[in-house]
Amino acid sequence: MRVVDLFCGAGGFSEGFYRAGFEIVRAYDIWSPAVLTHNMNHSDGKEVALKGDILEIAWSNDEEFEDAIPDSEVIIGSPPCIAFSNSNKSGKADKESGVALIKAFLRIVARKKYKKNSKLKYWVMENVGNSEKYVNEFYSMEELGLEGLTDEKLCVKGKTSKLYNMKYFGVPTNRIRYICGDFPPLNETTSESEIVSLGKILKELGKPSPNDFEKLNDKIIDPTYGFEIFKKDLSDHHYVSEIPDFEWKKAKRQKVDKGYMGKMAFPENMDKPARTVMATLSRSSRESMIFPIENEVEKYRIPTIREVATLMSFPIDFRFYGENESIKYRMVGNAVTPKFSYELAKSIQEDSIKNNFKDAFMLKDGFSSLKRFPSSPDFTDLNGKVFPLKQEKPKKVNAKFKQHVPELVEKTFRVELQNKFTTSNYETVEWDVSIHRSQGKNAEVFSNILIPEDIFPISIRKELKSFINELLIEIKDSQKLQINYCKTKIEREDSIGPEELLEKIKVFVNSYTGDFIEVNGINRMLPYKIALAYFILNNILEELNYAEENTRREVAY
């Protein structure tokens, strides 16, 4: 059976069908490294995959369209998902471009499905789970811009269309995707007890060996497919990309102390399947995938390309043709998982045999090595590459700051410090403190709250005043706090920026305990430590703002 793959990327979707014995007759993507990778892994370098814009192809005239999209029994595709991803602007990104690409894909399907003597029997579209709400159950030909073709309606959300978690199909990662179209039922192949953990995959791939990988003449067994290759032939694995401390510390804070979001493991939990592999190679975000460096204290690395590729169920003989780590990572993170694709191909082939389609054939087992090591000057192997440790750079003068007191979240309350600029040239900065509670629809923000000193016991008031005065002496003024924030850790030396200020407050506050406090302006009882942290920050900022205002008046006169 013949397959056309639209938005093919590096070829993850095609890979499953290819391993099952289907013929990939055409594939398209707009990104050159992905097109090259697809061709080098699926057609011995022949140009089955082409660089092309699906929007243009979808709206081309009949002659150009038929030349671009050959007849096939199967059409598969994965329109770019960034518009629908929850990680993009917290799920609030503009969806219009994503919807346009989905409709372009559906228009191509409809043109092939409803043409005279059509050969198309199955079609499948993959996207992130959040895309489901932006896909209609049916599309009229008018909606797809095909008014003159037929009165048919394209059913998109068929009986088998739903959310699928890849971990139940032999993929060692927790990756939920929305799969829709016209395809037979899929049976899960992996039970909850059989799901492969991240730690098992890393153990079977082996520790990256940057210095002696060329001497690794023993063999490695593919954790997903079971075939063997020599360890020295395992591309993009034998290197270490270390994360500098200023980045992993930021990532750790985002993961374990986000405040209004649940905690995530830092570093990764080796006893569970891997989290969703992202397309962006990040070292300092909540989504960063971070591994410890063996036998090192507080040293961490990002996964190798081979590790994330194997987690995505790419065979270990699959090669990614990108000139650097970031490009390769993007190819992996954007892909459809090949093992799931293989199970989909398997169900389609079994259905075609059941229905006595003349193009049906016996399925390949899908688990042997395809021995794909074609020589190409375009292939950059990261094995043995030395990645210099990234150096922290100063922040821009208008760098924004918005953080809560570290590790201080009680009853979903937290105390947050934020900067804002009052002049267009960023010469004047002010700092605000507010109390936040909960998140989403239940989120509440309380500003300009008055917490009187006498709300706290007499026994701590003296220490409280002394602590505030000490901080004011260190901070000096609002502008200095911003200047220190923009400096690197080395440049700051012992000076205090907003992060250091919050850390000092955390230490002070954690040495006290007390009952819940009733505060005017807040509709519920406030945890003692939250009230104490807010009181300290509010008093500091009032003094800073007062001093700033006096300075401005003196300059004016």
Side-chain angles (χ1 to χ4, degrees), residues 129-338:
N130 197 41
S131 68
E132 180 180 9
K133 65 183 74 170
Y134 300 97
V135 177
N136 299 337
E137 184 175 357
F138 294 93
Y139 285 83
S140 68
M141 296 303 104
E142 182 179 1
E143 288 175 298
L144 297 176
L146 297 169
E147 297 91 333
L149 183 62
T150 175
D151 293 330
E152 296 280 357
K153 283 189 174 182
L154 182 68
C155 177
V156 176
K157 294 185 175 180
K159 294 181 180 180
T160 54
S161 299
K162 62 178 184 178
L163 295 175
Y164 291 83
N165 194 326
M166 303 298 104
K167 69 180 181 180
Y168 297 120
F169 294 88
V171 181
T173 187
N174 193 30
R175 188 180 183 90
I176 297 174
R177 287 296 184 264
Y178 180 61
I179 312 295
C180 63
D182 186 0
F183 57 95
L186 279 169
N187 295 318
E188 294 179 352
T189 63
T190 308
S191 67
E192 195 70 41
S193 62
E194 296 171 323
I195 294 170
V196 180
S197 69
L198 169 60
K200 187 174 187 297
I201 292 297
L202 298 191
K203 182 179 179 181
E204 293 186 9
L205 284 176
K207 178 182 176 181
S209 303
N211 299 321
D212 58 357
F213 68 92
E214 293 176 335
K215 300 176 183 178
L216 299 176
N217 291 316
D218 49 337
K219 291 188 175 181
I220 180 173
I221 299 175
D222 188 296
T224 303
Y225 302 99
F227 63 83
E228 295 181 338
I229 65 171
F230 287 107
K231 283 189 176 182
K232 63 184 180 182
D233 289 329
L234 193 65
S235 64
D236 295 330
H237 181 60
H238 297 295
Y239 67 96
V240 174
S241 189
E242 185 178 347
I243 308 172
D245 63 351
F246 73 90
E247 287 194 313
W248 68 253
K249 286 179 179 178
K250 181 179 178 181
K252 182 178 181 179
R253 184 172 64 246
Q254 294 287 319
K255 289 173 181 288
V256 306
D257 191 31
K258 187 68 173 175
Y260 56 89
M261 299 178 74
K263 289 187 177 182
M264 297 172 66
F266 179 91
E268 301 302 314
N269 188 334
M270 296 294 166
D271 297 325
K272 294 184 178 181
R275 292 185 298 102
T276 300
V277 176
M278 310 299 288
T280 303
L281 181 57
S282 169
R283 297 169 173 82
S284 60
S285 70
R286 185 172 166 85
E287 290 76 25
S288 302
M289 189 173 286
I290 296 176
F291 299 160
I293 295 178
E294 290 187 33
N295 304 318
E296 298 282 356
V297 178
E298 288 201 324
K299 285 196 174 184
Y300 302 93
R301 66 177 179 90
I302 57 173
T304 67
I305 297 302
R306 184 53 53 196
E307 285 169 335
V308 288
T310 304
L311 291 172
M312 285 284 285
S313 76
F314 277 95
I316 57 176
D317 62 353
F318 196 101
R319 292 193 166 185
F320 298 91
Y321 287 75
E323 63 183 19
N324 59 47
E325 188 182 27
S326 181
I327 290 175
K328 289 172 182 269
Y329 203 98
R330 177 181 165 190
M331 276 193 264
V332 176
N334 276 333
V336 177
T337 54

Side-chain angles (χ1 to χ4, degrees), residues 524-553:
R524 62 192 70 224
M525 300 294 282
L526 198 62
Y528 186 81
K529 291 183 179 180
I530 297 295
L532 190 57
Y534 179 85
F535 178 84
I536 294 169
L537 264 175
N538 190 55
N539 273 268
I540 289 173
L541 297 186
E542 282 184 349
E543 288 293 330
L544 292 179
N545 291 336
Y546 179 74
E548 190 76 31
E549 182 64 28
N550 282 343
T551 300
R552 282 199 290 265
R553 286 175 180 174

Side-chain angles (χ1 to χ4, degrees), residues 445-462:
V445 180
F446 307 100
S447 302
N448 301 316
I449 298 299
L450 177 62
I451 298 181
E453 182 183 3
D454 59 13
I455 207 169
F456 302 109
I458 296 175
S459 59
I460 75 164
R461 293 177 194 171
K462 184 176 181 180

